[in-house]
Amino acid sequence: MFRRVLVANRGEIAQRIIRCCIDMGTECVAVYSKADENQVYIPFATRSICIGGPQSQDSYLNIDRIISAALATGCDAIHPGYGFLSENAEFARKCEEYGIKFIGPPADVIEKMGVKAVARDLMVANGVPVVPGSDGTVADAEEARAVADKIGYPVLIKASAGGGGRGMRRVNGPEEIEEMFGQARAEAISCFGNGDLYVEKLILNPKHVEFQILADEHGNIVHFGERDCSIQRKNQKMLEEAPCSQLTPELREEMGQVAIKAARAAGYISAGTIEFVMDANNNYYFIEMNTRIQVEHPITEMVYMVDLVREQIRIAEGLPLRFKQEDIKPHGHAIECRINAEDPAKGFAPNPGKITLLHLPSGNGCRVDSTLYDGYVVSPYYDSLIAKIIVWDDTRLGAIRKMRRCLEEMTIEGIETNQEFELFIMFHGKFLRGTYNTGFIEQCVNELLNLERRTSEIEAERAGNQVNA
Ligand code: ADP
Ligand code: ADP
Ligand code: MG
């Protein structure tokens, strides 16, 4: 067993991992930036260390400071969470060099899968269906045009180093290639310091369906079914559910086996996710592998009654998997709403600030992963995710009802959030039918915002206020 685990992250995922260490009886160390001195989970860690200023570069992205903190506090393992250094091969390699176990896949696997154009080629070579597109990267707009002419428009130009929905542009016809190639390259360079681009056919109105896998050091790989993450804005997830309404048990097993094949091709170890886009005819295509624990992992935990972070730690300790594929069965339905400090009416612009009144939901089948408290200041330096509301029920409709109840119970005052927006999704016909796709928010945003406006007018009327139209 690990002696002590350093948690190289912040916010809800740092808390999630620290809680897991406590539950496992493993000591843990919290690291935090100057902006995070008052995070609620810090006192619960065995030890804690301030590693630098609020800017991520000075703290959560600072490899040397994190390694020094681990050595100074006698840690023999580091859990990177998601975002920050979680998919940084150099960091994983440094950990290995210093005799610290990186709780994730080997550095060369991170490297391989992190270059998305390379990952695609690897999948093609191993018989995993990928979206038609370029072989590797394209050098310039001319080369992108040649690929697009061959596979047909619309296409996506994507950053090979991409993540978080950045560095991606839709191209509807040859006249747009030049412009969009330039935009994608500029964004890729500014976000990832790497301008490499590749081309993929744009699958029209797909569902984003991803498979959770666990792989141990002894060659065993299992999958824990899928998550439907099609409710996205700016190619970023906002709400996820498991299972996906479009999958039959047979298709689940087929895609699960493809996901396992993909993980095996990558030489994967640890918890990971294989992402697919799937069209209305159930054709599915690999888009990328995420070599880390994901934001939305709790819905899988609820449907499969498993602690994925604990399993991830056990795998890093060298233990064999405790599951056989035939014993892994989904139960009921789970939904996660990501509550972000952002204003849907202003194009989902981040909205940091101080929380003046807080009440979080709870009750049967409700899990809240959040570090918020009354008076919490949402920092402008980091991601806008402030809470994850996760519900479970034995049916999908039951889970939807429970999520409505939870979102209605919740009060967050002082800052704008997407809480109401999420609530209205829970009433939208397309969502209720389960047939929505990744275009949902873009298509319905005005409808949902109008609903939000109307409701607040009704509320104001009820409160006896004058409503000025
Ligand atoms: P998930 O599939 O886990 O939901 P997301 O794409 O939402 O993944 O990313 C999780 C977190 O990691 C977010 O905070 C996102 O901003 C961040 N992130 C993802 N990829 C990158 C990247 N390549 N560079 C920087 N941050 C990233
Ligand atoms: P990131 O690393 O930023 O998460 P992904 O390759 O996973 O990038 O794509 C992010 C999102 O963009 C997907 O979840 C999906 O909604 C959309 N997308 C990506 N590739 C395609 C494609 N070929 N066709 C249609 N949509 C796509
Ligand atoms: Mg992705």
Side-chain angles (χ1 to χ4, degrees):
M1 241 180 78
F2 292 135
R3 190 170 60 238
R4 201 174 269 185
V5 176
L6 182 134
V7 181
N9 216 295
R10 67 175 300 281
E12 70 86 16
I13 194 64
Q15 180 184 51
R16 164 77 186 86
I17 298 160
I18 289 169
R19 282 174 168 165
C20 183
C21 290
I22 294 169
D23 292 349
M24 293 175 81
T26 303
E27 295 193 352
C28 57
V29 173
V31 296
Y32 58 93
S33 76
K34 287 218 169 71
D36 281 337
E37 285 167 343
N38 297 323
Q39 289 282 329
V40 276
Y41 50 81
I42 294 174
F44 295 96
T46 315
R47 291 192 53 188
S48 62
I49 295 195
C50 179
I51 49 166
Q55 300 276 357
S56 301
Q57 258 66 24
D58 300 329
S59 47
Y60 304 109
L61 284 176
N62 192 310
I63 294 179
D64 291 336
R65 291 205 190 148
I66 290 173
I67 301 265
S68 309
L71 295 173
T73 52
C75 289
D76 51 357
I78 293 184
H79 196 306
Y82 56 68
F84 296 121
L85 296 171
S86 62
E87 295 179 281
N88 185 310
E90 185 199 337
F91 179 59
R93 203 159 279 137
K94 268 255 169 75
C95 290
E96 285 167 24
E97 271 167 31
Y98 283 92
I100 300 166
K101 183 78 183 181
F102 176 81
I103 303 177
D108 60 313
V109 176
I110 298 178
E111 201 148 59
K112 222 166 25 190
M113 302 315 275
V115 185
K116 291 162 85 175
V118 172
R120 266 175 64 85
D121 291 349
L122 181 72
M123 293 306 145
V124 174
N126 284 276
V128 173
V130 304
V131 187
S134 52
D135 297 331
T137 54
V138 288
D140 50 33
E142 250 348 278
E143 208 181 320
R145 193 197 317 271
V147 175
D149 285 345
K150 213 168 79 195
I151 60 177
Y153 292 91
V155 299
L156 268 182
I157 296 178
K158 298 173 73 171
S160 190
R166 311 298 301 277
M168 211 179 290
R169 288 292 181 281
R170 177 186 174 136
V171 185
N172 295 302
E175 67 288 352
E176 293 178 7
I177 281 260
E178 192 104 23
E179 163 82 16
M180 291 304 156
F181 190 92
Q183 284 188 20
R185 173 149 284 172
E187 193 168 299
I189 290 170
S190 87
C191 293
F192 314 114
N194 177 326
D196 290 350
L197 301 174
Y198 64 106
V199 179
E200 260 180 24
K201 189 164 181 63
L202 182 97
I203 303 301
L204 283 173
N205 302 324
K207 265 192 181 293
H208 172 117
V209 180
E210 59 180 36
F211 274 73
Q212 176 69 53
I213 64 113
L214 284 181
D216 68 15
E217 291 178 354
H218 311 279
N220 306 301
I221 310 183
V222 293
H223 75 83
F224 287 81
E226 80 286 4
R227 299 181 281 258
D228 183 341
C229 310
S230 308
I231 306 282
Q232 303 182 350
R233 46 115 183 69
K234 305 176 189 164
N235 295 313
Q236 279 180 323
K237 300 158 190 168
M238 193 163 116
L239 182 161
E240 304 90 356
E241 63 175 318
C244 167
S245 310
Q246 202 172 316
L247 265 59
T248 59
E250 292 71 34
L251 184 55
R252 174 168 306 116
E253 209 28 55
E254 180 189 316
M255 290 178 76
Q257 289 307 322
V258 171
I260 288 174
K261 183 157 79 174
R264 204 175 290 288
Y268 203 75
I269 297 166
S270 189
T273 301
I274 308 289
E275 296 190 336
F276 298 99
V277 284
M278 186 164 88
D279 69 19
N281 298 318
N282 290 351
N283 298 307
Y284 55 90
Y285 309 93
F286 169 90
I287 50 170
E288 66 158 341
M289 175 166 205
N290 287 326
T291 56
R292 55 176 161 84
I293 194 80
Q294 278 187 288
V295 175
E296 60 275 20
H297 75 277
I299 56 174
T300 300
E301 297 192 316
M302 290 186 111
V303 168
Y304 286 90
M305 290 181 271
V306 59
D307 181 334
L308 290 169
V309 174
R310 180 172 68 195
E311 298 312 323
Q312 198 184 16
I313 293 173
R314 288 175 53 94
I315 289 167
E317 286 173 332
L319 295 169
L321 287 180
R322 302 189 273 181
F323 313 91
K324 288 207 164 57
Q325 190 64 54
E326 59 267 30
D327 300 329
I328 302 174
K329 294 273 182 291
H331 300 274
H333 202 91
I335 303 175
E336 170 181 275
C337 282
R338 299 190 190 195
I339 304 303
N340 299 319
E342 66 184 18
D343 189 350
K346 298 203 174 106
F348 303 96
N351 202 275
K354 184 171 175 172
I355 292 176
T356 52
L357 185 66
L358 179 76
H359 178 73
L360 293 173
S362 54
N364 182 301
C366 167
R367 165 175 171 184
V368 178
D369 281 18
S370 172
T371 59
L372 295 184
Y373 51 84
D374 259 316
Y376 183 97
V377 178
V378 179
S379 163
Y381 296 103
Y382 314 112
D383 198 89
S384 62
L385 180 74
I386 51 172
K388 303 191 311 203
I389 313 298
I390 306 121
V391 298
W392 182 90
D393 203 279
D394 51 5
T395 65
R396 181 167 187 265
L397 183 61
I400 292 173
R401 287 215 176 101
K402 212 166 258 186
M403 183 57 87
R404 289 175 183 162
R405 190 258 292 164
C406 286
L407 292 172
E408 278 166 358
E409 268 181 29
M410 183 163 73
T411 302
I412 302 176
E413 282 180 13
I415 56 167
E416 240 7 277
T417 75
N418 61 340
Q419 174 182 353
E420 288 235 293
F421 193 84
E422 297 269 30
L423 179 60
F424 288 124
I425 293 175
M426 290 295 126
F427 287 94
H428 199 285
K430 267 191 196 156
F431 181 76
L432 296 183
R433 281 191 290 278
T435 52
Y436 60 87
N437 56 55
T438 56
F440 175 82
I441 287 188
E442 207 179 313
Q443 286 151 19
C444 303
V445 67
N446 288 328
E447 242 175 280
L448 293 164
L449 288 174
N450 281 334
L451 210 57
E452 198 172 326
R453 224 166 283 135
R454 277 208 304 279
T455 310
S456 47
E457 280 170 17
I458 292 166
E459 275 171 3
E461 271 171 17
R462 278 208 189 125
N465 292 344
Q466 281 283 322
V467 182
N468 303 314

